[in-house]
Amino acid sequence: MNQRNTLLSAAVMGCLAVMVGAFGAHALKPTLTATGRLDTYELAVRYQFYHALAMLAVGLLMGQFSSKKLYYAGLFFFLGIFLFSGSLFVLCFTGLGVLGAVTPLGGVLFILGWVFLFLGVLKK
């Protein structure tokens, strides 16, 4: 992702995190509480928000550091949101336990995103 796409993706992911979080806190709270998935849902929203902010930082840093590693950091954060938070959201509504195997892959992508952010800023 280039700088513009990284910033746009960060904005979309941040907006979606607010929308999904508000929807969960109000309209879905009784259902999520009844199924015991409220904590899972909140975790998915929280990690989406954290990594939307991380993508925003990566996008801003791309203007100061020309590093392919920052490209990968932004990409890994984006894919991590999709796999980690996305799998938890689907788990909350379907109860498909097999999705529990996908969530850690998203976590690995988050870790890679942070590592590539470090490496992208390390070499100036």
Side-chain angles (χ1 to χ4, degrees):
M1 289 195 286
N2 61 28
Q3 183 180 22
R4 181 176 186 271
N5 288 341
T6 301
L7 292 171
L8 289 172
S9 296
V12 169
M13 288 298 174
C15 180
L16 287 173
V18 172
M19 292 168 55
V20 170
F23 192 61
H26 299 289
L28 297 176
K29 188 171 185 176
T31 303
L32 293 168
T33 302
T35 60
R37 296 289 185 189
L38 183 60
D39 289 344
T40 303
Y41 191 87
E42 288 175 348
L43 179 70
V45 171
R46 190 173 351 158
Y47 272 69
Q48 181 173 342
F49 227 132
Y50 292 158
H51 291 88
L53 292 173
M55 285 175 60
L56 179 64
V58 167
L60 294 173
L61 287 169
M62 284 176 163
Q64 296 179 1
F65 299 87
S66 64
S67 172
K68 189 79 167 168
K69 290 177 178 67
L70 291 177
Y71 161 87
Y72 287 111
L75 181 63
F76 290 145
F77 287 146
F78 180 82
L79 294 174
I81 290 170
F82 183 75
L83 289 179
F84 184 89
S85 295
S87 66
L88 290 180
F89 288 136
V90 173
L91 176 66
C92 287
F93 298 114
T94 66
L96 292 173
V98 71
L99 291 174
V102 174
T103 308
L105 296 175
V108 169
L109 290 171
F110 285 153
I111 293 166
L112 287 172
W114 289 106
V115 169
F116 274 78
L117 172 56
F118 175 83
L119 294 173
V121 175
L122 181 66
K123 285 189 160 185
K124 177 161 171 137

